[in-house]
Amino acid sequence: MSAQQPNQDVVAMILAAGEGTRMRPLTHYCPKPLLPFAGTPILARIAQKLAPLHLQAIGINAHHLADQLLAWTQAQHPDWITHHEYTLLGSGGGVRAMHQLLPPSNHFLYHNGDIFTDAPLQALITSHRQNGAHATLLLTPAEKADG
């Protein structure tokens, strides 16, 4: 791996195929990942967080108001791989479907499409590699979570 492209063995999936039920009525007309936070869609903030990682590929699934989510993705990140779940596949099914669309890789990074974090994702990937882990989870204690 070069210093320029440190994570070419990592693909990412943004899980965005929910129904938006917890944020209604806001999500009646806007998919949750596109809801603005301080004027910027949550998904744009996630994209900004993933960009410096230089991942091999990024995929995103969509269900509720998928046309909006997929149109935004095509306009902002046409290189992302998209999957429209016409019928919800559930967490495992959505991941399985996206895994088949993404290129083969050594590592798979999952990111929820309705959250953003200031967590150091590169440090998480580095730690994962150094520990030879099969899986690494980033958790936030409930008492420290906002919102």
Side-chain angles (χ1 to χ4, degrees):
M1 286 181 292
S2 71
Q4 184 89 7
Q5 302 294 323
N7 296 308
Q8 285 301 290
D9 61 342
V10 180
V11 295
M13 176 185 183
I14 301 170
L15 300 155
E19 295 185 284
T21 54
R22 289 182 301 224
M23 293 296 290
R24 288 193 178 138
L26 297 174
T27 54
H28 280 305
Y29 305 103
C30 181
K32 197 168 16 169
L34 293 183
L35 288 173
F37 180 82
T40 301
I42 295 169
L43 188 54
R45 293 177 181 277
I46 293 169
Q48 290 169 351
K49 191 77 173 164
L50 294 177
L53 300 177
H54 302 286
L55 303 171
Q56 179 184 5
I58 298 173
I60 184 169
N61 63 350
H63 176 72
H64 175 65
L65 301 173
D67 56 334
Q68 290 180 41
L69 192 60
L70 297 175
W72 184 92
T73 300
Q74 182 61 38
Q76 301 299 317
H77 300 281
D79 55 324
W80 286 9
I81 297 164
T82 60
H83 182 250
H84 184 170
E85 290 185 21
Y86 293 95
T87 301
L88 279 176
L89 301 174
S91 296
V95 169
R96 186 179 315 111
M98 182 55 68
H99 194 270
Q100 306 225 351
L101 297 173
L102 289 166
S105 65
N106 294 328
H107 306 284
F108 209 105
L109 174 68
Y110 303 98
H111 196 298
N112 287 8
D114 58 359
I115 64 161
F116 55 93
T117 178
D118 60 357
L121 296 181
Q122 183 58 60
L124 183 74
I125 293 169
T126 300
S127 175
H128 173 80
R129 284 194 174 118
Q130 289 173 345
N131 291 313
H134 291 288
T136 301
L137 298 174
L138 174 62
L139 304 173
T140 301
E143 63 273 3
K144 292 187 178 182
D146 292 332

